[in-house]
Amino acid sequence: MRTKILSKVLLSLGLMLMLGSAITQVHSEEDKVPIIKIHSTEEAVVRGKTGSFVLSMNPILFGERYVNFSVKGTAIPGVDYVPLVSPAHIGKSGYGVILVQTLPDPRGPASRDSYSVVVTLEPGPGYAVGEPRSAQIMIKPLR
């Protein structure tokens, strides 16, 4: 009787170990590349000021990375802000920054419109894109 119970316990433990190993292997495959995310540090920036997007990499054990991104929005590069150049660098700290240097409004002081800059992370070698994958900053007129 004791032998049967001991055999069942050992069999159950063996099955749990096999199942646990299979689950661990699946997760470790996903964790082999760092996950990159983006957010803006402010919703809006006044013309003449600098806004920023912060990139974060998790886990940070992987060292430095260069991350591809695209830029869209209603703001015009070279007119409303200094054009952004991809890729962005993430340092050993696990963080990187994309600076948005706004320019004086060539439309004149009568312009009261705000314009958007949207940065979207793009897939690349050695990393995966997480959520959020894009962020926005509004360029506001001087008041």
Side-chain angles (χ1 to χ4, degrees), residues 5 55 101 114 122 127 142:
I5 293 174
L55 306 174
Q101 177 62 51
S114 293
E122 301 291 338
Y127 66 90
L142 290 171

Side-chain angles (χ1 to χ4, degrees), residues 14-63:
L15 289 173
M16 288 184 351
L17 283 173
M18 285 177 41
L19 180 59
S21 296
I23 291 171
T24 302
Q25 287 175 1
V26 168
H27 286 294
S28 64
E29 290 297 319
E30 293 172 358
D31 295 339
K32 285 188 177 180
V33 296
I35 308 297
I36 312 296
K37 300 176 183 181
I38 187 171
H39 71 275
S40 59
T41 57
E42 57 271 309
E43 289 182 22
V45 62
V46 176
R47 286 196 176 272
K49 303 292 182 186
T50 301
S52 59
F53 294 98
V54 174
L55 306 174
S56 61
M57 177 171 59
N58 193 13
I60 61 172
L61 303 172
F62 294 101

Side-chain angles (χ1 to χ4, degrees), residues 104-115:
D105 196 342
R107 299 167 194 90
S111 176
R112 294 282 187 201
D113 294 332
S114 293
Y115 299 95

Side-chain angles (χ1 to χ4, degrees), residues 36-39 51-56 65-73 77 81-90 96-101 117-125 127-130 132-137:
I36 312 296
K37 300 176 183 181
I38 187 171
H39 71 275
S52 59
F53 294 98
V54 174
L55 306 174
S56 61
R65 286 284 186 272
Y66 286 91
V67 179
N68 299 317
F69 65 89
S70 61
V71 184
K72 293 183 180 173
Y81 63 96
V82 175
L84 305 177
V85 180
S86 180
H89 180 256
I90 296 180
V97 66
I98 300 170
L99 296 175
V100 180
Q101 177 62 51
V117 178
V118 180
V119 173
T120 302
L121 299 178
E122 301 291 338
Y127 66 90
V129 176
R133 66 179 333 123
S134 66
Q136 173 179 290
I137 292 177

